[in-house]
Amino acid sequence: MSPSSQLSWPERRLTDLLGIEHPLVLAPMAGTGTVALAISVSEAGGLGSLGCAGMSPHQVGQAITTFRARTNKPLNVNFFCHAQAQPDPVRTASWLSALAPFYHEFALDPALASSDFGIQPFNESLCQAVEEYKPEAVSFHFGLPAAPLLTRVKAAGCRVLSSATTVGEARWLEASGVDVVIAQGYEAGGHRATFQTTDLGAVARQPGLFALVPQIVDAVAVPVVAAGGIADARGIAAAFALGASGAQLGTAYLLSPEAATSSIYRDAVRHAQVESSVLTNVFTGRPARAIANRLTADVGPIVRQLPDFPLPMGALAALRAKAEEHESRDFTPFWAGQGAPLARAIPAEKLTRMLAQLALERFRALAR
Ligand SMILES: Cc1cc2nc3c(=O)[nH]c(=O)nc-3n(C[C@H](O)[C@H](O)[C@H](O)COP(=O)(O)O)c2cc1C
C-alpha cells in the first residue's frame, strides 16, 4: 500500500466515477503530451490523457494500444470540436501581409507561406476509433461533437468530460450529457475551451479559477475538475476547498522527461515567471495561453480578422522552422500557463505520487 492511500481525499466523486486512485488528471496536450507521459500518470493513480487533436484514427488506435500494453489503468482520450475551417481570401491575404516583413527578414520565399493547415474536429472516423478501442474517458475541447456522435461515445461506455470557461458553458455541457465539467480558468496554458462565443472580447472577460470554480460547482450537479495555474499541492488543495472534485494539470508536467517538450521549450518554461505568458490568438486563430515571444509582441497578442482556426499555423510553419534552426523561439507557440515557474523536472509518475501525497497531507493538516 502506498503511503498516500492511507490518507483519503475529501471528496471521491471523480475518483469513483473514473476508477482512479487520485483525482488528478493529466491535461491532454496535443503535440507535447506523449503516451509515455499518460502511462506514468495513470500508473501513479491519476488519469493519464492523450491529446489526439491532429492525429489520424489509425494513430489514435496505435497510441491506445501502446498505452494498454503497458498498463491496465484508465485512460482519457481528448479531441477538439472546433467548426471546420472555412478559407477566407481576405483574411488570408491580411495574415500573409502581417507576416511578410518576417519572410523578408529571413529571405524566405513568400510562396512557402501556406494558407492551409489541417486539424480534423472529432468526426465519424475518430468516433469509430473510440468505439473500437473504448477508452474509459473521452474529453472534448471547444464544446462537444454533434449529438449523434456524442451518443455513440457514451454508448461505447466512455465517461465524457469537457471544459467550460463560463457558468453558461458549464450548464450547457451538463444539459448536453457530460459526466464531468472541467472548469478552465484564465491562468490555464493552451487554448481557451470557450465555445459559446467567438467574440474576442471574451478573452479579456475570462474568469480566473478562484472565481470560476465555486460558481460552476453551484450551477451543475456533475463533478467539477479545476484547471488552470495548478502546479503543486497547494493548488490542488485550493481546488478542493473551492468545491472541485479534482484537478487537471498541464503546465506542471512540461518539464517531465516523458513530455515531448523540445529543449528550447523546456528552456523557456524553466526561465518563465508568473507574468511570462500571454493570451494570444496569433499562433492558431483561437485564443490560447503561451509564453510571450516576438510574434505575440510584434503582431499580437490579439489580432482581429484572422483566418479560422487552425489555418494561421500554415503560414507560420516556414518561419518557425527557420527560427528554430537558430534555437530561436520567436515564432513558436510554447503553450504554458501562469503556473510555469512551479513546474519541476521530475518523472511524471514520481511527480503525480508526490502531488497526491503532499495534497493529502495538506488536507490532514487542515482537518486538525
Ligand atoms: C502544452 C499544452 C497543450 C495543451 N493542449 C490541449 C489539448 O490538446 N486538449 C485540451 O483539451 N487541452 C489542452 N491544453 C489545456 C489543458 O487542458 C488545461 O486547460 C490546462 O493545461 C490547465 O492549465 P495549466 O496548464 O496551468 O495546468 C493544453 C495545455 C498545455 C499547457
Side-chain angles (χ1 to χ4, degrees), residues 53-108:
M55 285 192 198
S56 67
H58 177 68
Q59 288 170 320
V60 172
Q62 277 185 323
I64 298 176
T65 304
T66 309
F67 180 94
R68 295 282 190 231
R70 293 268 311 278
T71 177
N72 57 8
K73 298 285 176 67
L75 169 67
N76 172 41
V77 172
N78 172 265
F79 301 95
F80 287 176
C81 294
H82 55 288
Q84 188 78 48
Q86 303 297 328
D88 176 317
V90 176
R91 291 198 234 160
T92 301
S94 148
W95 181 230
L96 295 180
S97 93
L99 298 183
F102 304 117
Y103 269 74
H104 181 73
E105 179 182 328
F106 292 101
L108 282 169

Side-chain angles (χ1 to χ4, degrees), residues 36 53 55 58 65 79 221 240-242 271 276 326 359 367:
M55 285 192 198
H58 177 68
T65 304
F79 301 95
F240 274 82
L242 293 168
H271 291 97
S276 295
H326 304 283

Side-chain angles (χ1 to χ4, degrees), residues 33-293:
T34 60
V35 183
L37 188 64
I39 292 167
S40 295
V41 172
S42 286
E43 274 291 288
L47 181 66
S49 303
L50 294 175
C52 295
M55 285 192 198
S56 67
H58 177 68
Q59 288 170 320
V60 172
Q62 277 185 323
I64 298 176
T65 304
T66 309
F67 180 94
R68 295 282 190 231
R70 293 268 311 278
T71 177
N72 57 8
K73 298 285 176 67
L75 169 67
N76 172 41
V77 172
N78 172 265
F79 301 95
F80 287 176
C81 294
H82 55 288
Q84 188 78 48
Q86 303 297 328
D88 176 317
V90 176
R91 291 198 234 160
T92 301
S94 148
W95 181 230
L96 295 180
S97 93
L99 298 183
F102 304 117
Y103 269 74
H104 181 73
E105 179 182 328
F106 292 101
L108 282 169
D109 180 354
L112 291 172
S114 164
S115 55
D116 196 19
F117 191 92
I119 295 178
Q120 287 297 314
F122 189 70
N123 58 19
E124 170 64 32
S125 54
L126 290 166
C127 190
Q128 281 175 15
V130 165
E131 290 173 314
E132 185 179 346
Y133 292 95
K134 298 184 178 22
E136 288 73 13
V138 173
S139 71
F140 294 108
H141 215 49
F142 311 137
L144 288 172
L149 290 181
L150 183 64
T151 303
R152 284 168 54 189
V153 171
K154 291 176 73 111
C158 313
R159 298 295 185 187
V160 174
L161 298 74
S162 184
S163 294
T165 56
T166 62
V167 171
E169 288 180 345
R171 283 207 175 100
W172 184 88
L173 290 174
E174 180 181 50
S176 303
V178 302
D179 300 294
V180 175
V181 168
I182 302 161
Q184 189 197 38
Y186 181 76
E187 305 88 333
H191 284 93
R192 306 305 79 186
T194 304
F195 60 89
Q196 285 189 326
T197 179
T198 52
D199 171 15
L200 286 171
V203 176
R205 294 194 300 270
Q206 191 191 356
L209 200 66
F210 257 70
L212 185 65
V213 169
Q215 294 185 55
I216 289 185
V217 167
D218 287 349
V220 300
V222 296
V224 175
V225 169
I230 302 173
D232 66 15
R234 294 168 294 185
I236 295 166
F240 274 82
L242 293 168
S245 304
Q248 175 163 300
L249 284 68
T251 300
Y253 288 98
L254 287 174
L255 297 181
S256 292
E258 298 96 323
T261 322
S262 67
S263 62
I264 45 170
Y265 193 167
R266 280 176 198 269
D267 204 47
V269 173
R270 250 186 248 113
H271 291 97
Q273 298 180 341
V274 68
E275 74 278 23
S276 295
S277 64
V278 63
L279 274 177
T280 178
N281 64 350
V282 293
F283 293 113
T284 67
R286 281 188 91 113
R289 184 174 289 285
I291 296 179
N293 64 8

